[in-house]
Amino acid sequence: MKFKTILTFITLIIATSSVKAQNEGFAVGAQLFSPAGISVKATISESAAITGAVGFSINEFNNSVSVQTNLILNGDEDTFNVESGLLRFYYGIGLNFLISENTDNGIGIRLPLGIEYTLQEQPLEIYMDIAPTINIEPSSAFFLSSSLGVRYFF
């Protein structure tokens, strides 16, 4: 129910917006997969941004919160020749924090590699990435996380 309300709210904002496309400033949105939850982005230059995500996992075995933060660098805007909007790749480095109710909390280093598309007539960004992650605490482990999301720039 809450997801439908948030999705409806985002859709209304997009439908009533008459702003030109922007991929600068501060953005908030939703992210699927690892972690599923809220996504944010703050651009710090034309080619760099700080991103983050907070996700919750609630089930009968373990309740947990996952927090990710990344410094991402965007590739050249002319890499992909799209007719409208802006399509570019990004890469970066970040941290993954896992706060868990029934297991040890964890910290990991992640290397996100992804692609983002900014719509031409709306301040909206769609992205997807994959991030090789190495847990460094409480024990070493390697895994891949992936995400797919959408953000609205304010």
Side-chain angles (χ1 to χ4, degrees):
M1 181 67 177
K2 289 180 185 181
F3 179 73
K4 287 181 183 179
T5 304
I6 291 170
L7 187 59
T8 302
F9 179 71
I10 290 172
T11 303
L12 286 174
I13 288 173
I14 293 167
T16 59
S17 174
S18 62
V19 200
K20 290 288 184 196
Q22 80 179 57
N23 58 352
E24 297 178 353
F26 184 74
V28 177
Q31 176 172 296
L32 298 176
F33 309 124
S34 183
I38 299 168
S39 173
V40 296
K41 180 178 183 180
T43 56
I44 53 178
S45 75
E46 280 188 25
S47 62
I50 303 291
T51 64
V54 177
F56 304 92
S57 175
I58 300 170
N59 59 50
E60 63 184 273
F61 303 108
N62 190 28
N63 299 325
S64 63
V65 175
S66 181
V67 179
Q68 295 174 349
T69 184
N70 306 296
L71 169 65
I72 63 167
L73 303 172
N74 291 102
D76 186 12
E77 292 184 16
D78 295 332
T79 302
F80 302 100
N81 187 14
V82 293
E83 235 173 84
S84 68
L86 175 64
L87 180 65
R88 60 187 181 172
F89 70 92
Y90 63 88
Y91 56 94
I93 187 165
L95 294 174
N96 185 62
F97 301 95
L98 179 66
I99 302 159
S100 183
E101 182 179 48
N102 296 327
T103 60
D104 292 336
N105 298 333
I107 298 173
I109 297 172
R110 55 193 320 268
L111 301 170
L113 306 166
I115 191 164
E116 60 188 22
Y117 176 69
T118 304
L119 297 172
Q120 184 170 344
E121 296 298 322
Q122 300 294 334
L124 192 66
E125 173 181 85
I126 301 165
Y127 66 95
M128 59 187 273
D129 66 31
I130 188 164
T133 305
I134 300 172
N135 273 355
I136 54 177
E137 191 63 41
S139 61
S140 298
F142 175 80
F143 63 93
L144 291 174
S145 65
S146 62
S147 60
L148 172 65
V150 61
R151 297 186 194 108
Y152 183 84
F153 282 91
F154 294 93

